[in-house]
């Protein structure tokens, strides 16, 4: 079978087998047949993202955590706070360190002992977006000027990689920081900071140095949407198969005030016209509004509980 022109599957079980064979042998043509009908193999419209859920606080040992699912893509974010000594140049700010990990369980393309090449790229992108978006005011991580501040270690684990990894990772990071509960700390007699348990916080002998600063102020939150541009078509929130078949990927990051934080084009020989970029931004705006609402609902549900 060397030509796909005039391809017409049979009916019934034979049709299903032939369609699957056609899918495997000619994946690009298979997708293009669907695109011509403005639909995708999973029945989604081209501009529609997959169903998304956020579960807050799944890691009880972390100070903030979130489990995010976008379709089958699943990531877990956990934040652990540790006291550090701020630099002389920045005595009143804390710091954030971001790590993104892809264990072999997340994808058949990740081999044991060979870290995924994309992992450090995503970690760098996440760090850049978190800092440049202004989501976190690092001064809120300060404890004692020039002496102590919080170092926030954000670790994100990909549990299942089925496309749009950066989108899921950023959403999990935003949700984890929104969920973050800063521990109470007190100054000991020898001048060291110690964590104060919830049972001791009301005792007169214990005077926390940060009793008023337990949650971060999330003034703006960044959200992203990855799109595939293939010819005249734009596919929002691609699966891993769609990413492997069509190679021009565009990721748009907007904050919750609809401001453009970043636009990243990964791979592909296609030069993007201004109109295409604008269309991607319009889709990203719709997705930002959708994700903002999902996050709000998750936070509200946790407050009720």
């Amino acid at each position: 079978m060397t030509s796909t022109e005039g391809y017409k599957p049979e009916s019934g079980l034979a049709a299903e087998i032939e369609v699957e064979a056609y899918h495997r042998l000619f994946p690009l043509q298979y997708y293009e047949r669907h695109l011509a009908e403005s639909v995708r193999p999973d029945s989604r419209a081209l501009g529609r993202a997959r169903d998304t859920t956020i579960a807050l606080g799944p890691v009880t040992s972390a100070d903030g955590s979130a489990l995010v699912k976008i379709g089958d893509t699943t990531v877990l974010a956990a934040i652990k706070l540790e006291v550090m000594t701020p630099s002389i140049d920045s005595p009143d700010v804390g710091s954030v360190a971001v790590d993104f990990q892809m264990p072999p369980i997340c994808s058949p393309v990740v081999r044991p002992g060979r870290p995924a090449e994309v992992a450090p790229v995503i970690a760098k992108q996440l760090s850049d977006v978190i800092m440049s978006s202004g989501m976190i005011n690092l001064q809120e991580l300060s404890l004692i000027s020039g002496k102590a501040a919080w170092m926030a270690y954000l670790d994100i684990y990909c549990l299942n990689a089925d496309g749009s990894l950066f989108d899921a990772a950023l959403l999990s990071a935003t949700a984890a920081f929104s969920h973050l509960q800063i521990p109470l700390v007190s100054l000991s007699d020898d001048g060291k900071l110690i964590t104060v348990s919830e049972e001791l916080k009301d005792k007169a002998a214990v005077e926390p140095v940060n009793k008023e600063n337990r949650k971060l102020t999330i003034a703006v939150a960044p959200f992203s949407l990855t799109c595939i541009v293939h010819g005249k078509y734009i596919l929002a929130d691609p699966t891993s198969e769609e990413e492997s078949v069509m190679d021009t990927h565009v990721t748009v990051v907007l904050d919750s005030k609809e401001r453009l934080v970043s636009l990243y084009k990964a791979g592909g020989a296609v030069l993007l016209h201004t109109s295409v970029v604008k269309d991607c931004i319009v889709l990203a705006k719709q997705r930002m509004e959708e994700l903002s609402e999902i996050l709000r609902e998750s936070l509200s549900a946790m407050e009720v509980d």
Side-chain angles (χ1 to χ4, degrees), residues 90-127:
S90 304
D92 297 308
V93 300
S95 188
V96 176
V98 181
D99 188 31
F100 181 77
Q101 298 183 33
M102 295 182 66
I105 192 175
C106 79
S107 170
V109 302
V110 180
R111 304 298 183 190
R114 296 176 60 187
E117 294 180 0
V118 72
V121 176
I122 292 179
K124 179 64 167 59
Q125 284 181 269
L126 287 170
S127 181

Side-chain angles (χ1 to χ4, degrees), residues 40-219:
R40 293 148 85 169
D42 60 7
S43 299
R44 277 189 293 155
L46 303 191
R48 180 169 165 259
R50 293 168 290 176
D51 291 342
T52 301
T53 61
I54 301 173
L56 298 174
V59 183
T60 56
S61 60
D63 297 305
S65 61
L67 179 70
V68 164
K69 292 194 69 176
I70 299 178
D72 288 332
T73 295
T74 308
V75 296
L76 176 67
I79 301 172
K80 194 66 179 175
L81 295 176
E82 292 186 8
V83 176
M84 70 169 199
T85 301
S87 67
I88 296 176
D89 296 333
S90 304
D92 297 308
V93 300
S95 188
V96 176
V98 181
D99 188 31
F100 181 77
Q101 298 183 33
M102 295 182 66
I105 192 175
C106 79
S107 170
V109 302
V110 180
R111 304 298 183 190
R114 296 176 60 187
E117 294 180 0
V118 72
V121 176
I122 292 179
K124 179 64 167 59
Q125 284 181 269
L126 287 170
S127 181
D128 291 344
V129 166
I130 290 171
M131 293 297 101
S132 63
S133 67
M135 175 173 67
I136 300 171
N137 180 359
L138 294 179
Q139 291 184 336
E140 291 189 358
L141 295 176
S142 177
L143 287 166
I144 301 174
S145 179
K147 294 184 178 180
W150 291 115
M151 165 66 83
Y153 291 98
L154 170 62
D155 292 308
I156 301 177
Y157 302 88
C158 178
L159 305 180
N160 189 25
D162 187 28
S164 301
L165 285 184
F166 179 81
D167 300 345
L170 179 59
L171 181 58
S172 72
T174 300
F177 275 114
S178 299
H179 171 256
L180 180 66
Q181 184 78 0
I182 298 175
L184 282 170
V185 291
S186 177
L187 204 59
S188 65
D189 294 337
D190 57 0
K192 293 183 179 179
L193 284 173
I194 57 173
T195 301
V196 179
S197 66
E198 293 294 324
E199 293 76 13
L200 295 176
K201 69 178 181 180
D202 295 326
K203 291 190 176 182
V206 176
E207 184 62 32
V209 300
N210 65 329
K211 60 183 178 181
E212 303 299 329
N213 188 15
R214 303 296 308 285
K215 297 283 289 183
L216 291 178
T217 302
I218 309 295

Side-chain angles (χ1 to χ4, degrees), residues 205-268:
V206 176
E207 184 62 32
V209 300
N210 65 329
K211 60 183 178 181
E212 303 299 329
N213 188 15
R214 303 296 308 285
K215 297 283 289 183
L216 291 178
T217 302
I218 309 295
V220 292
F223 301 97
S224 68
L225 176 68
T226 296
C227 297
I228 282 180
V229 179
H230 184 74
K232 64 180 182 179
Y233 304 107
I234 299 175
L235 288 72
D237 179 29
T239 63
S240 59
E241 183 177 59
E242 289 172 334
E243 290 178 342
S244 67
V245 172
M246 296 167 276
D247 61 359
T248 301
H249 309 157
V250 180
T251 299
V252 179
V253 183
L254 299 176
D255 68 21
S256 48
K257 293 185 178 180
E258 301 184 10
R259 295 176 299 195
L260 180 64
V261 177
S262 70
L263 191 149
Y264 179 70
K265 177 178 177 288

